Amino acid sequence: EPEVTQTPSHQVTQMGQEVILRCVPISNHLYFYWYRQILGQKVEFLVSFYNNEISEKSEIFDDQFSVERPDGSNFTLKIRSTKLEDSAMYFCAIRTTSYEQYFGPGTRLTVT
Amino acid sequence: GENVEQHPSTLSVQEGDSAVIKCTYSDSASNYFPWYKQELGKGPQLIIDIRSNVGEKKDQRIAVTLNKTAKHFSLHITETQPEDSAVYFCAARLGNEKLTFGTGTRLTIIP
């Protein structure tokens, strides 16, 4: 099973601040995803990223969100101006060549 | 877009008994159906999946069945053990990209 790490494990930020969540796949992958899970709710798709471009995004992924792969290994999710409702677990996932998606342990984002 | 419904939301079974979780999906073009197990404070863990060209798949105590005509799929766990206690999510994929998740089932195994 491919391994995915995420940092930080927990991020507390004030409303209006910018946050960057990081994902580091251990091995080489081409497809990356961000999902979020509000406490007690289902996992929701945010964005998919392939070949250094966004390939699909949900209506949640508005102009406050951006993704990039700055150095060929890290995959980041930036929230430019956090809102209270951005508080959630954020999961990075990678897709294998057989289309399976494997999730990282998540970052708990708390916006106060 | 795709919509996935999952039942039941909670399920308690005696250790050693079987557990069944059911999901329905809305788009007949969906082609891939994974199941994830999520333990407290952790990310979803892929436990089994099935593709639309297969009706059933089994891996030790876990099996998944797919009925394309009815657009539903089920997870079966036999001989349940305490470590099976977790939240289970079904999902469906339309195309090659995003997964649409169900609302989850909290499974509790009673020793």
Side-chain angles (χ1 to χ4, degrees):
Chain A
E1 179 176 324
E3 188 175 347
V4 181
T5 63
Q6 290 185 242
T7 58
S9 57
H10 190 191
Q11 175 86 49
V12 181
T13 189
Q14 289 190 324
M15 195 167 53
Q17 295 297 303
E18 175 184 284
V19 293
I20 298 176
L21 311 182
R22 289 184 171 80
C23 171
V24 183
I26 298 301
S27 54
N28 291 329
H29 296 282
L30 297 176
Y31 289 86
F32 302 89
Y33 306 84
W34 284 102
Y35 290 82
R36 81 171 185 189
Q37 185 179 33
I38 295 171
L39 185 64
Q41 299 186 21
K42 66 179 179 180
V43 178
E44 299 175 290
F45 169 79
L46 291 178
V47 65
S48 58
F49 190 81
Y50 168 69
N51 202 26
N52 291 323
E53 289 184 350
I54 290 174
S55 51
E56 188 175 357
K57 60 182 180 179
S58 72
E59 60 274 10
I60 303 170
F61 195 89
D62 61 22
D63 292 343
Q64 297 298 317
F65 291 87
S66 62
V67 289
E68 64 176 2
R69 199 173 178 208
D71 57 9
S73 60
N74 290 283
F75 177 50
T76 63
L77 174 70
K78 182 190 293 186
I79 309 175
R80 190 164 59 227
S81 178
T82 51
K83 304 187 283 286
L84 293 176
E85 53 264 39
D86 293 328
S87 295
M89 285 290 290
Y90 288 81
F91 295 106
C92 170
I94 59 90
R95 197 195 85 181
T96 67
T97 52
S98 53
Y99 297 95
E100 298 153 347
Q101 289 190 24
Y102 292 93
F103 285 71
T107 293
R108 179 177 297 284
L109 177 64
T110 302
V111 182
T112 61
Chain B
E2 178 61 278
N3 182 49
V4 177
E5 296 194 358
Q6 182 171 348
H7 300 281
S9 56
T10 60
L11 178 63
S12 295
V13 300
Q14 209 71 36
E15 182 178 352
D17 288 350
S18 296
V20 180
I21 303 170
K22 298 181 179 182
C23 288
T24 59
Y25 60 99
S26 60
D27 199 317
S28 57
S30 288
N31 55 18
Y32 173 70
F33 307 92
W35 285 89
Y36 288 86
K37 175 183 181 182
Q38 187 176 32
E39 296 174 318
L40 194 62
K42 297 185 178 180
Q45 176 194 3
L46 179 65
I47 56 171
I48 195 168
D49 57 14
I50 191 166
R51 286 166 171 77
S52 57
N53 58 347
V54 175
E56 184 174 356
K57 183 177 178 181
K58 188 174 182 180
D59 182 4
Q60 299 182 355
R61 297 186 296 109
I62 296 174
V64 58
T65 58
L66 171 65
N67 183 325
K68 287 169 55 179
T69 303
K71 290 189 285 187
H72 68 69
F73 56 113
S74 301
L75 177 72
H76 304 253
I77 306 175
T78 58
E79 300 171 26
T80 52
Q81 301 168 3
E83 53 265 36
D84 294 330
S85 293
V87 178
Y88 291 80
F89 290 96
C90 63
R93 188 188 69 207
L94 183 62
N96 289 330
E97 294 291 347
K98 70 176 184 181
L99 296 176
T100 300
F101 282 79
T103 49
T105 296
R106 181 173 300 279
L107 175 64
T108 302
I109 307 302
I110 305 166

